Amino acid sequence: MDYMAILKHTSSKNVNYTDVIQYLIFKYDESINKPLLDDFGNLQMRDQLYIDGINCDPMTFDLECKQLNAQYHKNQTNKEVKTHQYIISFDPKDVTEGNLTGEKAHELGLEFARKNFPGHQILVATHLSLIHISEPTRHAQIS
């Protein structure tokens, strides 16, 4: 099955790799770029989240990036790009007419990351978009 997707790339010079993990795992208000909190002030987990690491553990991605940067003397200044983010958004029709699931979107994201970024530490996270509930959105965060 062929799916219609949009690919978006951003890069970040933010040295705080923990922010990457937080953004991928927790719900955000994209209009103000702040995490959504529940009635008790706790961060809210994204719905139907799939997350995997390639050449890293997703929960220690931040520590592993810092360790490798120190080992290879990379990303030592604020001017250097620390991560690249690729967002693949699928057409809602892929869900309703093409039987695209969050799990299948995640598999496609892993395939994309392995093919295009061999040897890099990569977080691949897939969740349902907050805007289009039926639209799987896949993120690949690459260091």
Side-chain angles (χ1 to χ4, degrees), residues 9 13 27 32 36 46 66 68-69 79 88 92 106 131 134 136 140-141:
H9 169 260
K13 296 178 181 178
K27 292 180 181 178
I32 59 172
L36 295 176
R46 290 195 185 267
K66 289 177 188 176
L68 282 175
N69 286 341
K79 295 180 181 179
I88 301 173
H106 191 67
I131 298 168
S134 63
Q141 194 76 31

Side-chain angles (χ1 to χ4, degrees), residues 80-103:
E80 294 177 275
V81 172
K82 308 301 184 287
T83 61
H84 294 271
Q85 181 177 21
Y86 293 85
I87 302 170
I88 301 173
S89 298
F90 295 93
D91 188 316
K93 289 182 181 178
D94 290 335
V95 175
T96 57
E97 298 171 13
N99 297 320
L100 179 65
T101 63
E103 186 174 347

Side-chain angles (χ1 to χ4, degrees), residues 4-141:
M4 178 59 71
I6 297 171
L7 176 66
K8 176 183 174 184
H9 169 260
T10 62
S11 60
S12 174
K13 296 178 181 178
N14 183 353
V15 72
N16 189 351
Y17 294 102
T18 304
D19 288 350
V20 171
I21 296 171
Q22 183 171 314
Y23 176 78
L24 294 174
I25 293 176
F26 298 106
K27 292 180 181 178
Y28 266 73
D29 180 335
E30 303 296 339
S31 65
I32 59 172
N33 198 29
K34 298 279 184 187
L36 295 176
L37 304 176
D38 65 16
D39 293 338
F40 302 103
N42 299 314
L43 296 169
Q44 297 181 44
M45 293 284 291
R46 290 195 185 267
D47 298 320
Q48 294 187 14
L49 175 69
Y50 303 87
I51 188 165
D52 280 294
I54 300 172
N55 299 322
C56 65
D57 181 309
M59 295 304 119
T60 57
F61 174 78
D62 52 346
L63 301 174
E64 292 176 44
C65 287
K66 289 177 188 176
Q67 181 182 26
L68 282 175
N69 286 341
Q71 182 178 346
Y72 292 104
H73 308 289
K74 296 188 80 138
N75 298 325
Q76 302 297 308
T77 70
N78 289 338
K79 295 180 181 179
E80 294 177 275
V81 172
K82 308 301 184 287
T83 61
H84 294 271
Q85 181 177 21
Y86 293 85
I87 302 170
I88 301 173
S89 298
F90 295 93
D91 188 316
K93 289 182 181 178
D94 290 335
V95 175
T96 57
E97 298 171 13
N99 297 320
L100 179 65
T101 63
E103 186 174 347
K104 178 62 178 171
H106 191 67
E107 289 172 18
L108 293 169
L110 287 166
E111 181 181 318
F112 171 81
R114 286 186 182 110
K115 179 180 177 183
N116 291 285
F117 310 106
H120 290 272
Q121 295 166 289
I122 306 169
L123 286 182
V124 177
T126 304
H127 61 86
L128 296 183
S129 172
L130 297 177
I131 298 168
H132 301 288
I133 298 303
S134 63
E135 177 184 328
T137 302
R138 210 252 346 114
H139 299 263
Q141 194 76 31

